[in-house]
Amino acid sequence: MPRARGYKCESHLPPNHPWTVYALVHPVTHEPFYVGSTYHLCRRLSAHICEAQKIRGSRYDSKKCRLIRAILRKGGFPGVVVLELTTKEKAYARE
């Protein structure tokens, strides 16, 4: 399975950096299959990929993880669409 490579994460974000509400989308259909929020989008995407590549168990056998594994097996990579930049509180409310 491909690894999450090619993404360079900024290690130091400014204190006023906004939270991101995002959607993971299928690379072929462009249909969203997961909506989340994070302070650091690049690291969160990498975490989604790593979670999906772990041995299947109750936590890692979610619909999201199964779909990411299927996308990776076909040589694809989930897309990310930024839905909103906002505060942490508003991000959690919109998720």
Side-chain angles (χ1 to χ4, degrees), residues 12-23:
H12 300 289
L13 297 172
N16 60 348
H17 182 75
W19 275 69
T20 304
V21 179
Y22 65 96

Side-chain angles (χ1 to χ4, degrees), residues 22-34:
Y22 65 96
L24 295 180
V25 298
H26 192 281
V28 176
T29 66
H30 305 289
E31 290 290 322
F33 61 89
Y34 178 82

Side-chain angles (χ1 to χ4, degrees), residues 50-61 69:
C50 290
E51 288 170 7
Q53 291 178 327
K54 292 189 182 203
I55 297 174
R56 289 160 188 82
S58 60
R59 177 177 175 194
Y60 303 111
D61 206 28
R69 279 195 294 270

Side-chain angles (χ1 to χ4, degrees), residues 47-75:
H48 283 304
I49 301 302
C50 290
E51 288 170 7
Q53 291 178 327
K54 292 189 182 203
I55 297 174
R56 289 160 188 82
S58 60
R59 177 177 175 194
Y60 303 111
D61 206 28
S62 67
K63 182 179 177 182
K64 174 192 73 171
C65 286
R66 287 192 307 269
L67 186 52
I68 292 172
R69 279 195 294 270
I71 292 167
L72 293 174
R73 273 194 304 271
K74 291 181 179 180

